[in-house]
Amino acid sequence: EAQVTQNPRYLITVTGKKLTVTCSQNMNHEYMSWYRQDPGLGLRQIYYSMNVEVTDKGDVPEGYKVSRKEKRNFPLILESPSPNQTSLYFCASSSGLAVSNEQFFGPGTRLTVL
Amino acid sequence: RKEVEQDPGPFNVPEGATVAFNCTYSNSASQSFFWYRQDCRKEPKLLMSVYSSGNEDGRFTAQLNRASQYISLLIRDSKLSDSATYLCVVNGGRSSNYQLIWGAGTKLIIKP
């Protein structure tokens, strides 16, 4: 089954404790991205990747890191999480540029930073 | 002004009715437009792309008005299963490195 998977689905952590949210897709998509979704705001892009070893900042990259060592995986790293990073996070992938291709989303990771 | 604006709703609509909502965008250079659907606590899924001449997919019709910079979504003969949040998505143009800009969504509740 074609899908995007994220882990963990739910995470409660404390300020400053490094964490990684994994994202994996099995559709051989070049393009992957991370979004956060907060009440009253649209999805905001954190980072995106056009292909292996190619990543770029989105609209809200501060406090986040990513890597793209393999085509299928695009982990999101929070080196020192803070309460303002409490949010719902989605990973997405598409076969080409996001502007013209359907985005396939993972099920989301609900993160709470205390 | 937000780059992509939507009425957050909720729109409470009786089953079988027709409902329409708009989304305005600020970047006149935007070239691609989409409607995504998001069920409560779930991931967004593509509902339909929006083409310049307007397009229809079953009970759903999407239209683009470039002069006034808005897109619309019309749902005819609404079903209970249409209850969801509808997200408007616009290509941000060169100033946004051609990435997608997402509206905050319009919540639709279909009542029996």
Side-chain angles (χ1 to χ4, degrees):
Chain A
E1 180 190 354
Q3 60 182 352
V4 179
T5 56
Q6 291 179 231
N7 282 292
R9 294 288 313 281
Y10 302 90
L11 179 60
I12 300 174
T13 189
V14 296
T15 299
K17 187 175 181 182
K18 180 180 178 180
L19 67 92
T20 299
V21 184
T22 64
C23 172
S24 184
Q25 50 93 6
N26 62 2
M27 295 170 278
N28 201 36
H29 284 167
E30 295 85 9
Y31 186 96
M32 297 185 75
S33 59
W34 276 102
Y35 293 92
R36 61 178 289 173
Q37 186 174 37
D38 302 289
L41 301 176
L43 285 164
R44 292 182 294 166
Q45 192 176 57
I46 302 169
Y47 269 94
Y48 64 95
S49 170
M50 306 275 260
N51 215 323
V52 176
E53 301 292 2
V54 181
T55 63
D56 209 345
K57 295 177 181 178
D59 298 317
V60 289
E62 294 77 21
Y64 304 95
K65 285 174 58 177
V66 293
S67 68
R68 188 91 182 271
K69 294 186 171 62
E70 308 162 279
K71 199 171 189 179
R72 64 183 294 128
N73 296 324
F74 191 44
L76 179 69
I77 303 154
L78 285 72
E79 294 271 3
S80 183
S82 62
N84 65 11
Q85 292 177 298
T86 292
S87 188
L88 177 58
Y89 291 85
F90 287 105
C91 178
S93 73
S94 63
S95 61
L97 286 176
V99 295
S100 52
N101 293 279
E102 179 178 359
Q103 298 281 289
F104 293 86
F105 286 83
T109 295
R110 193 168 291 276
L111 173 66
T112 301
V113 183
L114 302 173
Chain B
R1 182 187 171 189
K2 290 182 181 177
E3 290 188 75
V4 176
E5 289 201 75
Q6 296 183 252
D7 182 336
F11 284 45
N12 290 282
V13 174
E15 190 177 10
T18 295
V19 59
F21 27 84
N22 292 340
C23 162
T24 59
Y25 61 94
S26 61
N27 190 338
S28 59
S30 297
Q31 293 295 324
S32 49
F33 310 87
F34 308 89
W35 284 103
Y36 276 72
R37 171 195 168 122
Q38 185 174 25
D39 293 305
C40 189
R41 300 180 182 277
K42 296 285 189 72
E43 71 273 22
K45 292 183 179 177
L46 179 66
L47 178 67
M48 57 198 303
S49 302
V50 185
Y51 302 123
S52 296
S53 54
N55 48 299
E56 192 173 301
D57 183 0
R59 298 181 293 108
F60 297 83
T61 300
Q63 295 209 305
L64 167 64
N65 185 317
R66 284 194 188 275
S68 300
Q69 294 183 207
Y70 73 85
I71 65 173
S72 64
L73 179 67
L74 178 87
I75 306 174
R76 288 182 300 277
D77 187 24
S78 53
K79 313 289 185 194
L80 295 176
S81 57
D82 293 334
S83 296
T85 296
Y86 291 84
L87 307 174
C88 168
V89 192
V90 175
N91 157 218
R94 182 185 295 181
S95 61
S96 300
N97 202 25
Y98 301 104
Q99 296 305 304
L100 297 175
I101 310 297
W102 294 72
T106 296
K107 186 171 185 177
L108 176 64
I109 300 172
I110 307 298
K111 296 184 179 276

